Amino acid sequence: MNTGSDESGESAVAIDEADGGQGLGSRAPEFIKRRRVLHLSWQVGVFVVGLAVVAAGVVMLPLPGPGWLVIFAGMAIWATEFVWAQLVLRWTKRKVTEATQAALDPRVRRRNIVLTSVGLVLIAAFVAVYVWKFGFEMPWNIEQ
């Protein structure tokens, strides 16, 4: 029997469970999905709102603000209606989980602690040499 899915039954169920029991596709209310014009208007509205949020996040990347968080919020808005955004968000969640697990690896943590310590020692040495040579004078006030 054709269920409309290209995936085997087990993997389709696993994906649905990973997505909180909700499959791919529009999450618009049923009365909106039944009317083609209303559903198209709904999709345009979701796209415009998501685009505005993603654009605000992109603007926040070089400026102060939680740029990546806002971009992911815009993607989540798009994911309520568009399958491509659901797949991108699912891939992003998987990559973040993998990165979290890698960061919790004791060897990686030890390496990060060593590199951070070396960096702090180098910065402290640079500051000590600067203070020894110039005192507590700001660089733009130093006369040669």
Side-chain angles (χ1 to χ4, degrees), residues 115-133:
L115 289 175
T116 302
S117 300
V118 168
L120 288 174
V121 166
L122 289 174
I123 290 171
F126 174 76
V127 169
V129 167
Y130 180 87
V131 169
W132 173 70
K133 186 167 180 153

Side-chain angles (χ1 to χ4, degrees), residues 31-116:
F31 74 93
I32 290 177
K33 287 185 196 178
R34 277 181 280 187
R35 294 171 182 83
R36 176 93 174 115
V37 174
L38 191 57
H39 192 225
L40 187 60
S41 301
W42 178 273
Q43 286 180 327
V44 168
V46 168
F47 183 79
V48 168
V49 170
L51 184 64
V53 173
V54 168
V58 169
V59 167
M60 285 184 206
L61 286 175
L63 300 175
W68 284 110
L69 183 66
V70 174
I71 289 172
F72 291 135
M75 288 297 296
I77 290 170
W78 279 338
T80 63
E81 195 59 35
F82 303 108
V83 173
W84 62 267
Q86 292 168 0
L87 295 174
V88 168
L89 213 51
R90 191 179 284 171
W91 177 84
T92 304
K93 287 178 185 177
R94 188 175 64 245
K95 290 298 180 185
V96 166
T97 302
E98 290 172 5
T100 302
Q101 292 301 319
L104 293 176
D105 181 23
R107 291 175 293 168
V108 173
R109 289 184 66 188
R110 226 178 350 263
R111 182 200 64 204
N112 290 345
I113 289 171
V114 167
L115 289 175
T116 302

